[in-house]
Amino acid sequence: MLRIRLDVLFLKEGKSIPPHAHRGVLSGFLMLEGSSDIRHYHVSCYNDKSVDVTLTVDKTLKPGDHTVNSDQKDNIHWLQGVKNESVLYRFNITGLPSVMPEYKDLAGRMYVDPRNAGKNSVTEISFITEADAKNIVF
């Protein structure tokens, strides 16, 4: 069943949404106020305990800028607030058909540490816990 969620996200300076991917989700962000750094990674292969990724987006969103990600493109996303408080309009469509494997032990979000993933090169990165992902510095 498809579900649509629209909300406003407040992201304080230095706070982040840790790097993660979803299964069967289309999501996006529109910067309304402030600015946030954002990175997207395209997953070229889903393995048992890791993914092969390439860095595809590495920029600062300013008011009016937006990004979109899904199973098919830029599935891993990572945000960090830059200004005192960033305000983003966020949308999610869940329940979409997916060719991505079901990782039942990862509870819907697949957290990773993509800091070593290069642009224009494929890097294998392992799944990590949510707690470990929240400790990664952008």
Side-chain angles (χ1 to χ4, degrees), residues 30-105:
L30 170 65
M31 181 58 64
L32 299 175
E33 186 176 306
S35 62
S36 294
D37 291 333
I38 189 162
R39 291 182 184 144
H40 284 204
Y41 301 83
H42 179 69
V43 179
S44 57
C45 184
Y46 292 93
N47 308 307
D48 288 340
K49 299 193 182 290
S50 65
V51 288
D52 297 340
V53 302
T54 304
L55 175 65
T56 52
V57 174
D58 187 6
K59 66 181 184 177
T60 300
L61 294 177
K62 297 185 180 347
D65 291 342
H66 68 281
T67 64
V68 177
N69 55 78
S70 69
D71 285 13
Q72 292 77 29
K73 185 173 183 325
D74 300 342
N75 194 10
I76 296 171
H77 42 289
W78 186 8
L79 289 93
Q80 176 171 285
V82 176
K83 295 277 180 161
N84 290 340
E85 185 168 73
S86 301
V87 182
L88 298 105
Y89 175 74
R90 175 175 56 181
F91 71 88
N92 285 346
I93 302 173
T94 60
L96 294 167
S98 177
V99 296
M100 189 172 133
E102 285 194 56
Y103 296 100
K104 294 187 188 300
D105 57 328

Side-chain angles (χ1 to χ4, degrees), residues 107-125:
R109 273 194 174 183
M110 292 152 283
Y111 291 98
V112 294
D113 181 353
R115 290 177 293 179
N116 295 324
K119 200 168 198 162
N120 303 319
S121 65
V122 174
T123 307
E124 182 181 359
I125 55 174

